[in-house]
Every structure is written in C-alpha cells, then in structure tokens.
Amino acid sequence: MSFPKYPEYRDSGVEWLGEVPQHWCLQPFFSLFEERRDANTGMIEDNLLSLSFGRIVQKDLETQDGLLPASFETYQIVQPGDIVLRLTDLQNDKRSLRSAIVPERGIITSAYLAVSPAGINKRFAHYLFRAYDLLKVFYSMGGGLRQSLKYSDMKWLNVLVPTADEQSRIAAFLDHETGKIDALIEAQRRLIELLKEKRQVVISHAVTKGLDPNVPMKDSGVEWLGEVPAHWAVAALRWYATVQGGVAKGKKYGPDEPVVLRPYLRVANVQDGHLDLSEVYDVPVSLTELNRYELREGDVLMNEGGDSDKLGRGAVWQGQIEGCLHQNHVFAIRPSRGLSANWLSMFTRSDSARAYFYLYSKQSTNLASISSRNVMSCLVPIPSPKEQSEILEQLSEALVRIDELVSKTDRAIALLLERRSALISAAVTGKIDARAWSRGSEAEKPGLAMVAEASAGYSAQGGAQ
C-alpha cells in the first residue's frame, strides 16, 4: 500500500530535516534524553553487550582478547530501552550504523554514549536515531572536524517530536513493516546459502564423479575421495606436476647483490577459484632469483595456509601482471603430462580436496598450514584431457547460472535494505502519515516478487542436493 502525506507542513528551519508536519515540534536532545552514568564498579554486572551493525548483541565475557575481567569495571551499565550511540571515529568511518536500542540489562564500553529516553517513546527514539544515522546527521556536528561526540556535544541537537500517540503508532507501524522486510531479507540470505551449497556440490561431483551417471566406478583407495569413474587415473599430484615455493618477504641480500622490486602475490590475493589483484605489493628480490620465483602462465596458485577456508584454495595464473612473483606462503603448482591447470584448480575447490588439505595440515587455533610435500602427495582423479575439457565446459555453464542467481538475490537484498531505510526515515520525519495504519490493514509486501522470481530460478536448477 502507499502512504499518504500529512495535510499541512511547515519549514523546520533545519536543513537536513526540511519540511515537517505542522503540529510536530523540535526539542533539544537534553530535554528528552538523560545520560547513563552507572559505572560497573565491583563487577556488579557481567552481561557483556556490544553494538554491531545497528544491533545490541551479547558477547562472551571470558573470550575477550586482551581484556581481564577487572577491565570491565570501567564499562557502563545499561538498561532495557536505553539508546546506545557510537559517536567515535566520525571522520574515518561514515558507513557504520551508530545507534541501537538496548534489549536487556548489561554492560557496554564507556566509549559509547548511553542515554535513557525520558518524555519520548523508546521505540520511536530508536527509529528516529536510525534515521539520523542514515541522514549522516552526526557527521556534520562540530563542523565535521571532531573524531567523537559526547553528551555535552549532543545537548542542543534538534530532536523531531510528534504527539505521544503518533510516536506509539509510528513505532508500531515500523516494528511491523520492518519486521516483514527483515523476514524477506532473511529468506533471501538463506537462498544465497543454499545456492552456495549447491555450487559446492556441483563442483565436487563433477571433478570426482564426472558427468555420466551410468559410468562404471572404482574405489579410489582413500576415504576422502571415495569412488571415481573406473577409466580415470588416480595418482599423486607429484607425478603430474612440479611445485615451486615463493620468495620470503624481508629476505636480506648482500650489499653487492643486485636487487630489483617486483610485484608479488600473497595469501590474500589467492581466493577460491579467482585472484584478487586489487592490492598487489612489491618485494625486493635478487636478479639471480627472478627466474626461480617468477610466475608462469598456467601455474596453479595454492595457499600454504591461513584460516581454514583459505587452506589449499587455488586459482590459475593467467599472466595478468608482468614479472609477478609469489610469496613463500603461496605454492605455484605447474601441471604437465595431460593434467589441465583449470582441472587441478577446480579440484582444489572440491570437498574431497578440502578434506585432504585439512587432514594433512598442521592446526593451530583457527589457522592451518600444509607442506608442499603433502600437497604433492594428494591423490588427484584425472580423466583424459578431452574429458577434462568437456567436464570443465559444462561445469562452467552450471556455475555461471548459479552465480547469476546469487547476484540477482544480492541485488534483491540491497533493494529491500534501501526500502527499509527509506521507510524508517520517511515515517519518523513526517514525510508519510502512518496515523491511519493498523496491524490488520493490507500492507505492501516489498520485494516479494523478487523473492519468488529468484526462488523459482533456484528451483529450476534443482535446489540443493
């Protein structure tokens, strides 16, 4: 449904507010919000809260790196219905959502401003400051030169105040409407997860089972690989490729040794099936070592370690940067003897390869690393060059379809988020009149057509298996 405007407006006198409903008023911040000053001295409260993406979330008191329990005595106690504002680092971060309503009693860092609404509806205040956040109001305060704001800096901020009844109605309206939008966004995000699962299944099946469901199978001899087509070879990677380590960053050279700067790739550059070349740095290397470390077109780059999701992931080097090297935490695998670089790269993205890399890696906390020896001992299923090409071609077409659905769903989420923000801003600044709204009225279901369309496209691909 579309929403009407108020019958009469007046100039608010505030540039970023523009016209507001005739009967709404402006009041200074200090007349409506009291600063919370309840220190957690003596560890009165241990329910640790944090402001994250415009929401107050619980955190584990015992796992805060670098903080001892005594440190939390400097935190402030907040109560349900309080508004928390993160008014720090205003110059450098203009994208974060900086306000949220507190759902439960707890403690939060004293670096944030916590206020208790007095004389204004708490839910309305929550949505109002979300609109101020989206309108970038805080960044213009103090001439835009301040890195942070305190309560004293906020005292004279203009707060737009409708009647008490309107505040309640607007808050209820936004609770209902944003709730519907949030449900749609969550459904879209779940759809993306299902598409990603489908993507992984398609890759893993293609490079370990092939395309023909009726082909005779044989046991590969290892649990993590299972059965493979009977006519495929299964061999350690070392029989079909060589491995080249990379240059160590910070390596020292003698004063008489000629050294040049060359671009080099790090673990962060090697993504899952592709290379991120947005940030490529230079490293000094001896002229005598250039031939050894320089990447060759067709090398399969594989990460030696990092977070578990980075371990062993590979991508094919296409010679995008002339004279590029790779660091010692990235292997350059050079296939030969009928093993396609693209086939090897795709295999490193399969569940079987991931299982092998994890099984034969060294684990430490959330990091892992695998030796070049273990990489080269990995058993790889290898069809004929012709069949490798055929499988990769069909696999590429399937992945393009899935990726298009993911992109389409991402766009739907972005549109829903834009609508959510616009609806909040319009309601709390009086650009629409929600007084006639009731929970039983027929309301527009924003983005539902996009959800249905994306879901239909996903179903056409067979869903997640």
Side-chain angles (χ1 to χ4, degrees):
M1 62 183 293
S2 59
F3 302 104
K5 289 181 173 292
Y6 279 86
E8 291 185 88
Y9 286 86
R10 63 178 175 82
D11 185 0
S12 66
V14 180
E15 183 179 355
W16 48 267
L17 275 177
E19 290 191 334
V20 298
Q22 180 68 38
H23 62 287
W24 288 21
C25 66
L26 290 170
Q27 291 183 228
F29 183 85
F30 76 87
S31 69
L32 298 167
F33 299 93
E34 297 176 355
E35 184 178 11
R36 278 284 178 200
R37 294 181 177 178
D38 302 330
N40 195 36
T41 305
M43 288 299 292
I44 301 170
E45 181 61 61
D46 62 0
N47 182 27
L48 181 61
L49 305 176
S50 177
L51 176 58
S52 176
F53 300 103
R55 294 174 55 245
I56 299 293
V57 298
Q58 276 188 320
K59 299 194 78 173
D60 188 347
L61 196 70
E62 302 298 324
T63 60
Q64 298 304 300
D65 295 337
L67 289 176
L68 298 174
S71 302
F72 298 107
E73 292 195 21
T74 64
Y75 276 43
Q76 58 185 322
I77 298 173
V78 290
Q79 303 290 347
D82 285 351
I83 305 295
V84 170
L85 299 144
R86 186 174 72 84
L87 302 175
T88 58
D89 198 28
L90 291 170
Q91 266 190 330
N92 299 321
D93 178 9
K94 297 191 177 182
R95 297 171 58 185
S96 298
L97 294 177
R98 294 182 171 274
S99 67
I101 189 168
V102 176
E104 59 186 315
R105 176 183 165 94
I107 55 173
I108 199 162
T109 174
S110 297
Y112 297 167
L113 173 62
V115 295
S116 175
I120 187 170
N121 182 285
K122 295 176 180 180
R123 295 296 300 171
F124 175 81
H126 161 61
Y127 286 118
L128 181 65
F129 284 121
R130 178 54 48 82
Y132 279 27
D133 207 354
L134 297 167
L135 291 169
K136 307 301 181 188
V137 173
F138 306 126
Y139 303 99
S140 63
M141 297 179 67
L145 299 175
R146 301 188 185 195
Q147 290 282 348
S148 61
L149 297 170
K150 299 178 181 178
Y151 182 80
S152 57
D153 301 312
M154 297 280 288
K155 288 183 69 173
W156 296 102
L157 173 69
N158 283 305
V159 179
L160 189 57
V161 185
T163 65
D165 179 64
E166 281 178 285
Q167 291 176 41
S168 298
R169 285 179 177 271
I170 291 171
F173 163 74
L174 288 175
D175 282 345
H176 186 264
E177 293 298 308
T178 59
K180 290 195 304 179
I181 295 174
D182 289 343
L184 289 170
I185 290 172
E186 184 57 35
Q188 294 290 69
R189 286 175 174 158
R190 177 56 184 157
L191 176 57
I192 287 176
E193 289 305 311
L194 290 172
L195 287 167
K196 288 180 178 178
E197 290 174 13
K198 171 72 173 178
R199 195 178 199 280
Q200 190 61 33
V201 167
V202 168
I203 290 173
S204 297
H205 190 275
V207 297
T208 61
K209 311 299 179 190
L211 301 174
D212 184 355
N214 301 313
V215 69
M217 305 294 284
K218 68 179 179 183
D219 186 358
S220 67
V222 287
E223 184 178 355
W224 52 266
L225 184 55
E227 289 190 331
V228 299
H231 65 286
W232 287 16
V234 178
L237 182 56
R238 63 175 172 270
W239 298 111
Y240 285 83
T242 59
V243 59
Q244 174 60 58
V247 61
K249 184 180 179 181
K251 183 177 179 180
K252 303 297 183 183
Y253 296 100
D256 298 327
E257 195 165 1
V259 174
V260 293
L261 288 176
R262 286 289 185 272
Y264 84 125
L265 302 184
R266 303 161 294 136
V267 170
N269 298 119
V270 184
Q271 301 293 317
D272 186 18
H274 69 281
L275 297 171
D276 179 0
L277 302 179
S278 58
E279 290 187 359
V280 177
Y281 302 105
D282 289 339
V283 65
V285 63
S286 168
L287 284 173
T288 59
E289 295 178 319
L290 281 181
N291 187 57
R292 175 185 175 188
Y293 291 126
E294 193 168 313
L295 290 172
R296 302 175 190 173
E297 191 169 343
D299 283 350
V300 178
L301 299 170
M302 294 172 59
N303 286 331
E304 172 258 353
D307 298 335
S308 295
D309 64 324
K310 298 181 178 69
L311 179 66
R313 66 185 182 189
V316 179
W317 178 248
Q318 305 286 359
Q320 296 95 319
I321 302 174
E322 186 177 353
C324 194
L325 316 175
H326 59 108
Q327 74 169 187
N328 56 327
H329 296 302
V330 177
F331 299 126
I333 312 296
R334 290 172 182 161
S336 60
R337 300 182 59 195
L339 174 60
S340 159
N342 288 320
W343 179 265
L344 176 59
S345 174
M346 194 65 75
F347 177 70
T348 69
R349 301 161 64 190
S350 69
D351 290 335
S352 295
R354 296 286 170 83
Y356 174 86
F357 293 143
Y358 189 81
L359 185 63
Y360 288 92
S361 64
K362 293 181 180 179
Q363 307 289 326
S364 62
T365 316
N366 63 329
L367 300 178
S369 63
I370 189 167
S371 67
S372 59
R373 179 177 179 180
N374 282 336
V375 168
M376 300 308 283
S377 295
C378 178
L379 293 180
V380 180
I382 306 175
S384 68
K386 181 175 182 293
E387 191 173 358
Q388 289 177 45
S389 179
E390 291 172 349
I391 292 173
L392 289 171
E393 183 177 355
Q394 292 194 37
L395 179 56
S396 177
E397 292 174 358
L399 296 182
V400 165
R401 290 194 295 270
I402 294 173
D403 289 344
E404 286 175 348
L405 286 173
V406 170
S407 296
K408 193 173 188 178
T409 310
D410 275 331
R411 290 194 297 272
I413 291 174
L415 289 172
L416 288 169
L417 288 171
E418 286 179 12
R419 176 179 173 79
R420 190 184 194 279
S421 297
L423 192 63
I424 290 172
S425 294
V428 297
T429 60
K431 302 302 183 287
I432 59 173
D433 184 353
R435 290 177 297 181
W437 175 87
S438 65
R439 195 173 297 275
S441 63
E442 279 298 315
E444 180 185 2
K445 296 181 179 179
L448 191 58
M450 290 184 290
V451 176
E453 187 179 357
S455 299
Y458 172 63
S459 299
Q461 298 301 323
Q465 300 177 5

